[in-house]
Amino acid sequence: FIATFSSMFFLLFFDRLASHGILVNTWQVDLAKRQMVRSSSGCKYLEQHDYSSTLYRLKERPPSPKERELLSLIDKIVEKSKEEK
């Protein structure tokens, strides 16, 4: 399992990979069913509702500078990997 230090960055990472077609769109359900990710407190496994509600809140506001930096980095890595194929 994965213990997240910040579920927001973790979710942004996975969501961005899905938007590039690298992950299937059901990644939230898949991770929840397999109990793959623990909350940052370590007290519980994240459920699909946790993923979707956090992503909804994140998308309702402009990304922070750190979030923009992460998304930009993911985009650059994905584009570079496509160029190398």
Side-chain angles (χ1 to χ4, degrees):
F1 73 91
I2 299 168
T4 64
F5 67 93
S6 171
S7 60
M8 290 187 313
F9 288 113
F10 175 83
L11 294 176
L12 282 173
F13 176 77
F14 272 71
D15 190 56
R16 193 57 145 219
L17 291 178
S19 74
H20 282 289
I22 295 171
L23 294 178
V24 294
N25 289 331
T26 59
W27 65 268
Q28 296 175 27
V29 174
D30 296 336
L31 289 178
K33 280 184 182 177
R34 291 180 175 87
Q35 294 187 328
M36 298 284 293
V37 182
R38 284 192 186 251
S39 66
S40 57
S41 67
C43 295
K44 69 170 197 147
Y45 289 102
L46 296 180
E47 298 174 2
Q48 195 273 328
H49 171 76
D50 300 318
Y51 298 125
S52 61
S53 60
T54 301
L55 278 171
Y56 178 80
R57 285 193 308 272
L58 285 169
K59 291 179 178 185
E60 285 294 302
R61 59 164 177 74
S64 72
K66 288 283 187 191
E67 292 165 352
R68 280 195 306 272
E69 186 178 335
L70 173 66
L71 296 173
S72 176
L73 177 62
I74 294 166
D75 292 342
K76 287 177 187 174
I77 292 169
V78 168
E79 289 305 315
K80 183 148 179 74
S81 72
K82 286 180 181 178
E83 290 172 5
E84 292 176 356
K85 286 187 177 183

